[in-house]
Amino acid sequence: PAGATYKRSAQIFTMAASGVSKDGPQESVLARIPGSDVVIPVFAISVALSMSIFITSTKLGGAGVAGPFPWHIVFMSLAWVAFAVLGLHTYISPSDSSRAERQSWHAGYMMCTAVLTVLGWAMIFWSHEQLPLGHTGGVEIAGGGVKMNRGFIHAAHVSLGYLVIAAVVMQGGMGWYKRRTLQTTGEKVLGW
């Protein structure tokens, strides 16, 4: 089944990146990249900040800081290019830190990802209210058919955005529950 294939692929990726295999600890893929413990976080933060500066600078051709639309881009860039990358990197990278410490950093980064994602959504929601553009990406269902007023790419972006927001909220809740249960009872739950 496709679900089993996906689950196994995710396990292989995680094991390869973290340096763990069914035969026990191995050298991590990330450990083979010189300076990866510094390069990956610095790169992620630099790209996210550069995107944020560009989009808010009218001198560089950006939209400026007025209105909610540029803040949608800034919040989403910081969420997904910086904090999500940092969260994944912290979780799977080789480190002298304890597993509990890495999990705490991972939780913090992913919480920032979730909060910034919701803020990014709120900014685009507010922007669409001001114009008014609606919140369906220009997709209208009327007269027995579907009509796209703003093009397929825009509709796909909006649809994917709503799916990502739902996944972030679900994952955040499950992550919180999993960590809280582990800390309070020592029991591992939701271990797929």
Side-chain angles (χ1 to χ4, degrees), residues 104-188:
S104 292
W105 279 102
H106 169 76
Y109 288 137
M110 298 317 287
M111 183 58 67
C112 289
T113 300
V115 168
L116 288 166
T117 297
V118 171
L119 286 172
W121 169 78
M123 292 297 108
I124 202 65
F125 191 90
W126 181 20
S127 177
H128 287 178
E129 284 292 313
Q130 287 180 338
L131 293 177
L133 292 175
H135 305 289
T136 61
V139 176
E140 292 180 21
I141 300 173
V146 177
K147 179 179 170 187
M148 285 189 251
N149 296 329
R150 299 187 66 202
F152 174 77
I153 298 296
H154 187 77
H157 177 87
V158 171
S159 300
L160 184 61
Y162 280 117
L163 288 173
V164 167
I165 289 168
V168 163
V169 170
M170 287 173 37
Q171 176 62 27
M174 289 186 299
W176 174 83
Y177 174 72
K178 183 177 179 177
R179 182 150 170 87
R180 184 175 179 275
T181 304
L182 183 63
Q183 288 177 331
T184 57
T185 68
E187 178 187 4
K188 291 186 176 186

Side-chain angles (χ1 to χ4, degrees), residues 6-50:
Y6 171 77
K7 181 178 179 182
R8 183 67 186 138
S9 298
Q11 288 171 339
I12 291 168
F13 171 77
T14 303
M15 289 187 311
S18 65
V20 175
S21 77
K22 63 183 179 181
D23 301 323
Q26 306 291 320
E27 182 182 25
S28 168
V29 171
L30 292 176
R32 291 185 221 140
I33 302 171
S36 66
D37 56 331
V38 174
V39 172
I40 292 172
V42 168
F43 179 77
I45 292 169
S46 298
V47 169
L49 289 178
S50 297

